[in-house]
Amino acid sequence: MRKFKGLIITFLVLCLFSQANISAKAISSECGILVEQVTGRVLFEKCADQQKYIASITKIMTAIIAVEEGDLDGWVEISENATLQVGSSLYLKQGDKVKLIDLIYGLMLRSGNDSAMAIAEEIGGSEEEFVKMMNEKAKELGMTNSVFQNPSGLDETTYNLSTAADMAKVMRYAMNHPVFREVVGTKVHKTQSEGGVPYVWQNKHKLVTGYYEYAIGGKTGFTKQARRTLVTSAQKDGLELVVVTLTAGDDWNDHMSLFNMGFDNYELKTVIPAGFLNVDPTVSDSKLFIKQDAIVAVKKDGSETVSTELKLSQDNTTDNEVGTLIVKINDEVMDEIPVYQQVELKDDQPRGWFQWLFGWLMGDGDTQ
């Protein structure tokens, strides 16, 4: 009888885990991904590398380039070409001027295609040159399956193709910029043009405006070819996650389901803090250190094994880099962090201010 009860309990536990996994995998979207913000660890994916039309989530790329390259407080004159863009619009007036930062708000909150074109013409000089900047940034970010042809996401004459995995990369990158982060987390933005035209833009992203309490930013998208596309960032208890869905049916619930699975099952852990490493003298008699924390996103239930491996190079590179600290989960490489060697100065060699400051911060004895 006890054995029978044990089998029943085991079966029930397995059913509970199966239901949790099924609820996460049975998303309505054709493709999707759940990624941890800091480490980039993929916690869930469904055809995440399949190229698709992406509609207005294109504007994440447009916005981050504008934030990085433009004069945010500068006035941008609205061209006739910008006012002729079809689809979602801020109804900007030809010849009027709007500050770049306000155009970015309109771009991300209301998905203004006229704003996208105005930004492209201001930052790139033309749409064509701005598109080149978009593709260069995509290459820089490792978005190997992405092709951009316009700054808005319209796909009637030109189009943009990407994947859930690639769009998660650009969202993670963009969320590290405080201005972008502020913009996409805003519920309502009010401004006026140089000509005195007032604008009030409410965020279209329902999860950000109150539908999901942990949502902190994102971008919506829709065209007939792309169908519904959605990118969202959410944060809870120090864990920040990104969800991307493409060709979706019920994307709001898809995102909440994936976020809840991530928050329920994962947490961030610091494996080794930034600073000096505890290295066996037989491995290296130099003082080695890392400049950043070694962090991993791991399951809360303790079922995953985290390990580190120090690999030293014989050929010293620039900045006293001497090797790599490899961080693994269950023998799968999660991160590779540069390892540096402290420069030992001779007694008669004066310390520069940087060496003095570094020594003081690290508590390295005499800093005189």
Side-chain angles (χ1 to χ4, degrees), residues 17 88 103 160 189 205 220 251-252 274 276 306 329 353:
F17 277 111
S88 299
L103 289 176
N160 300 327
H189 181 71
H205 200 306
T220 61
D251 48 11
W252 305 120
F276 287 111
V306 180
I329 295 180
W353 71 268

Side-chain angles (χ1 to χ4, degrees), residues 17-53:
F17 277 111
S18 296
Q19 288 172 0
N21 289 334
I22 289 171
S23 66
K25 292 180 180 177
I27 59 174
S28 70
S29 309
E30 287 188 11
C31 297
I33 195 168
L34 169 67
V35 179
E36 195 280 313
Q37 169 70 25
V38 176
T39 66
R41 184 181 182 186
V42 176
L43 308 181
F44 166 87
E45 60 183 329
K46 177 183 178 183
C47 70
D49 294 317
Q50 183 176 330
Q51 257 191 352
K52 285 184 166 292
Y53 294 102

Side-chain angles (χ1 to χ4, degrees), residues 227-281:
R227 309 309 297 170
R228 293 179 66 89
T229 61
L230 188 66
V231 179
T232 315
S233 288
Q235 188 175 51
K236 179 184 179 183
D237 297 333
L239 182 65
E240 187 170 330
L241 304 175
V242 174
V243 171
V244 180
T245 51
L246 304 177
T247 318
D250 187 14
D251 48 11
W252 305 120
N253 283 317
D254 285 349
H255 281 231
M256 289 189 290
S257 173
L258 290 173
F259 280 133
N260 289 337
M261 184 198 73
F263 291 136
D264 287 347
N265 292 286
Y266 291 87
E267 62 184 350
L268 275 185
K269 280 193 174 181
T270 299
V271 183
I272 300 176
F276 287 111
L277 301 175
N278 186 14
V279 180
D280 190 319

Side-chain angles (χ1 to χ4, degrees), residues 283-348:
V283 176
S284 174
D285 57 2
S286 300
K287 289 186 176 181
L288 306 181
F289 64 94
I290 53 175
K291 297 180 180 180
Q292 66 190 72
D293 293 340
I295 299 174
V296 291
V298 292
K299 289 184 177 178
K300 292 179 179 180
D301 61 11
S303 62
E304 296 180 319
T305 301
V306 180
S307 61
T308 59
E309 178 184 351
L310 178 62
K311 281 195 173 181
L312 298 179
S313 173
Q314 298 299 321
D315 300 322
N316 290 354
T317 58
T318 59
D319 200 20
N320 304 314
E321 185 178 334
V322 294
T324 305
L325 182 68
I326 302 172
V327 184
K328 301 179 182 180
I329 295 180
N330 295 342
D331 293 327
E332 181 183 352
V333 175
M334 292 288 109
D335 200 2
E336 297 185 8
I337 301 172
V339 174
Y340 301 90
Q341 174 181 277
Q342 185 182 21
V343 177
E344 298 293 342
L345 298 176
K346 297 178 182 178
D347 292 340
D348 59 348

